[in-house]
Amino acid sequence: MSRSAPALAARLLRNPRVVSGALVLLLLLACALCAPWLAPHDPLEQDFLAPLQPPAWSAQAPPPATGRTPYWLGTDNLGRDVLSRLIWGARTAAIVAMAATLLAALAGTALGAAAGYFGGRVDAVVSRLVDVWMAFPPVLLAVVLVALLGTGLLSVIAAIAVVDWTRFARVVRAETQAQQALDYVTSARMLGLSPLRILAAEVLPNVAPLLITLVTLEMGIAIVVEAILSFVGLSVASGASTWGGMLGEGRLYVHQAPSLMVLPIAATMLAVLGLNALGDGLRQELDPVLRA
């Protein structure tokens, strides 16, 4: 074990997808954790004397007031600093991505492991539930759930978790079925271990590499769904900094200030592509079938 851990770390560091995706994830987490210190301005502070101001490096940008930090990425229609709103929007995206993914992973893993291990009626009930759940368009179902629960960060997290648990359930069910047919599970049964202990101590540790990969991919999906909900006004409170909300506000001024749409789109794409690259890289290094 002591030798395999450094070898695995070395392989991960040699994989460009893992490295690039990890850097994006670290940047997202840094913005989320250090937003009050990284943001040069209050994201809700309005400067009515500088609406739709272009980025500071633009030739059309006016010189900053004496003693005042420049608006490095310009301002929106209310004179709010775009860079500060992007940084605080990263905090919203990170909170939703991690919380919703954790809840979806816990629910989906528990149901998928039970279905894959016990089979029979348990498998039939869980499989039919997954089929019914996946018959609904996921984004539309998330919109309906948030509309029923009410807007707010907790409602968004709950809606995404309720929609996306099926991804974990299907994958864990299939992998559990494959693992329980192996000799180590048979040996554990012969030793008289309880099903719960076999799942927790024997099966799930072998499913963990696949779960890690799925978690990173699901975080990217959660960020996109949250951005969509923010775009239609069903995420956090009005005026709060979210990438989808910035996109919805910026589309009204796309001709005067196209950066108001380009920047939140770029931030969302960078986060999603980075997490997808991290997931793909981890799958390449942790899946023994792909490494063979």
Side-chain angles (χ1 to χ4, degrees), residues 20 22 24 40 68 83 118 127 181 187 199 222 242 250 256 292:
S20 60
V24 170
R68 186 173 179 84
L83 176 58
F118 295 105
S127 297
S187 300
L199 281 173
T242 62
Q256 299 97 313

Side-chain angles (χ1 to χ4, degrees), residues 124-164:
V125 170
V126 173
S127 297
R128 296 295 80 76
L129 183 61
V130 169
D131 291 340
V132 171
W133 220 252
M134 296 191 71
F136 298 96
V139 175
L140 179 59
L141 181 58
V143 170
V144 172
L145 289 173
V146 172
L148 293 176
L149 296 173
T151 58
L153 196 61
L154 294 179
S155 298
V156 172
I157 292 172
I160 296 175
V162 168
V163 170
D164 288 344

Side-chain angles (χ1 to χ4, degrees), residues 12-271:
L12 293 177
L13 291 176
R14 287 196 300 266
N15 191 310
R17 293 188 176 185
V18 173
V19 174
S20 60
L23 290 176
V24 170
L25 179 58
L26 289 175
L27 177 62
L28 181 65
L29 294 178
C31 290
L33 294 174
C34 305
W37 300 279
L38 291 177
H41 297 274
D42 183 342
L44 301 180
E45 180 185 0
Q46 301 177 5
D47 186 353
F48 294 111
L49 298 179
L52 300 178
Q53 186 170 303
W57 64 79
S58 173
Q60 292 78 24
T66 303
R68 186 173 179 84
T69 305
Y71 297 118
W72 298 111
L73 295 181
T75 60
D76 63 6
N77 59 304
L78 296 178
R80 296 173 296 189
D81 182 48
V82 173
L83 176 58
S84 300
R85 291 179 63 78
L86 283 174
I87 293 174
W88 280 89
R91 167 175 281 193
T92 303
I95 292 174
V96 170
M98 290 187 292
T101 300
L102 177 61
L103 292 175
L106 290 175
T109 299
L111 291 173
Y117 184 83
F118 295 105
R121 292 184 178 180
V122 176
D123 185 21
V125 170
V126 173
S127 297
R128 296 295 80 76
L129 183 61
V130 169
D131 291 340
V132 171
W133 220 252
M134 296 191 71
F136 298 96
V139 175
L140 179 59
L141 181 58
V143 170
V144 172
L145 289 173
V146 172
L148 293 176
L149 296 173
T151 58
L153 196 61
L154 294 179
S155 298
V156 172
I157 292 172
I160 296 175
V162 168
V163 170
D164 288 344
W165 67 269
T166 54
R167 292 189 177 92
F168 291 91
R170 294 181 66 187
V171 172
V172 173
R173 170 187 172 272
E175 189 64 20
T176 302
Q177 285 180 331
Q179 292 292 327
Q180 73 154 343
L182 300 179
D183 292 340
Y184 77 92
V185 176
T186 304
S187 300
R189 287 175 180 153
M190 293 178 64
L191 291 173
L193 299 182
S194 65
L196 183 60
R197 185 172 179 182
I198 293 175
L199 281 173
E202 304 292 339
V203 175
L204 289 181
N206 290 284
V207 181
L210 187 61
L211 277 176
I212 294 173
T213 300
L214 192 58
V215 162
T216 57
L217 297 174
E218 178 59 31
M219 286 178 64
I221 296 173
I223 289 176
V224 172
V225 175
E226 191 281 326
I228 294 173
L229 293 175
S230 298
F231 181 81
V232 298
L234 291 176
S235 184
V236 297
S238 177
S241 301
T242 62
W243 292 341
M246 294 177 65
L247 180 59
E249 296 169 356
R251 67 186 176 88
L252 302 175
Y253 306 94
V254 62
H255 297 295
Q256 299 97 313
S259 62
L260 295 181
M261 285 192 67
V262 173
L263 292 173
I265 290 175
T268 304
M269 289 181 61
L270 176 63

